[in-house]
Amino acid sequence: MEGLLDFVLRDVLTRVGGVDRCVSEFIRITDTLLPDRVFYRYLPELHHGGRTLAGTPVRAQLLGSDPVTLADNAAHLAALGPEGIDLNFGCPAKEVTGAACGSALMRTPDLACRIMEQVVQAVSRPVTVKMRLGWDEKSLNAAMMAKKAEELGVKAVTVHGRTRKQFYTGVADWDAIAEVKQAVSIPAVVH
């Protein structure tokens, strides 16, 4: 989550132990190739081989809606050494979804698939995807999206058990989560 899972918190949590992997706060990708300094600001662990000081691997999370620009930035970032690249299809914030990013991509599965395909092709590191169950209760498409992700070479999916419309309220839909887990053979993590 933006403003929460920063370098300091990742460092503290991994020193305590019990954390196998971390993901950075999302890095907003718009229409330009970001300079190295931006990636290092979000992911200072790049100075330590893409690992926290305690040795836990960190994936860089990208948020955007343009497949080409995301792929170009992912390739540039991958050369700096994160453990992998995570794509954010889950953020429900209005500022994010208003720019056709985050959970808005659950409404445009063709675009989401083009993003996954181009990023997977652009990097030699593992690519993962964070998603919601769908935009609303009428469009629960996470199982289909996870299956497409696996077909495109994504190595794992993380599923927030709510729709974008729910934000962080209401009850997680455990049946829909089970459908996602049954649809794929790659790891499907619930969050």
Side-chain angles (χ1 to χ4, degrees):
M1 292 182 71
E2 187 176 28
L4 180 62
L5 193 56
D6 63 3
F7 166 75
V8 175
L9 184 58
R10 291 191 301 268
D11 181 47
V12 169
L13 291 176
T14 58
R15 285 177 194 248
V16 169
V19 178
D20 295 328
R21 177 176 293 119
C22 293
V23 177
S24 73
E25 294 176 273
F26 65 71
I27 303 166
R28 239 178 250 267
I29 306 298
T30 55
D31 58 355
T32 60
L33 186 62
L34 296 176
D36 291 358
R37 73 179 184 287
V38 173
F39 296 126
Y40 282 106
R41 184 175 67 233
Y42 280 95
L43 224 78
E45 295 93 342
L46 293 171
H47 293 292
H48 307 285
R51 294 179 175 272
T52 65
L53 296 175
T56 304
V58 182
R59 288 198 179 153
Q61 187 178 139
L62 301 181
L63 176 121
S65 61
D66 179 65
V68 173
T69 309
L70 277 163
D72 290 346
N73 276 278
H76 182 76
L77 175 58
L80 301 176
E83 191 266 344
I85 304 293
D86 187 65
L87 298 171
N88 184 320
F89 296 174
C91 181
K94 287 182 181 182
E95 303 81 30
V96 169
T97 59
C101 303
S103 60
L105 289 164
M106 299 302 290
R107 291 194 306 186
T108 54
D110 290 342
L111 175 58
C113 287
R114 286 197 312 275
I115 290 169
M116 290 186 284
E117 180 177 37
Q118 290 198 26
V119 171
V120 166
Q121 290 176 359
V123 302
S124 59
R125 299 191 180 270
V127 175
T128 56
V129 176
K130 168 186 155 186
M131 66 178 71
R132 292 224 163 211
L133 291 177
W135 181 258
D136 57 29
E137 63 280 345
K138 296 175 187 166
S139 61
L140 299 179
N141 59 350
M144 178 274 298
M145 290 280 286
K147 188 164 184 54
K148 286 299 290 179
E150 181 176 32
E151 291 169 3
L152 293 168
V154 169
K155 300 301 182 194
V157 294
T158 299
V159 182
H160 184 108
R162 292 173 180 79
T163 64
R164 187 281 180 177
K165 186 176 178 183
Q166 287 178 287
F167 277 76
Y168 299 101
T169 63
V171 178
D173 185 338
W174 294 102
D175 292 334
I177 292 167
E179 287 178 28
V180 173
K181 290 185 80 66
Q182 292 168 2
V184 296
S185 59
I186 58 175
V189 179
V190 178
H191 115 81

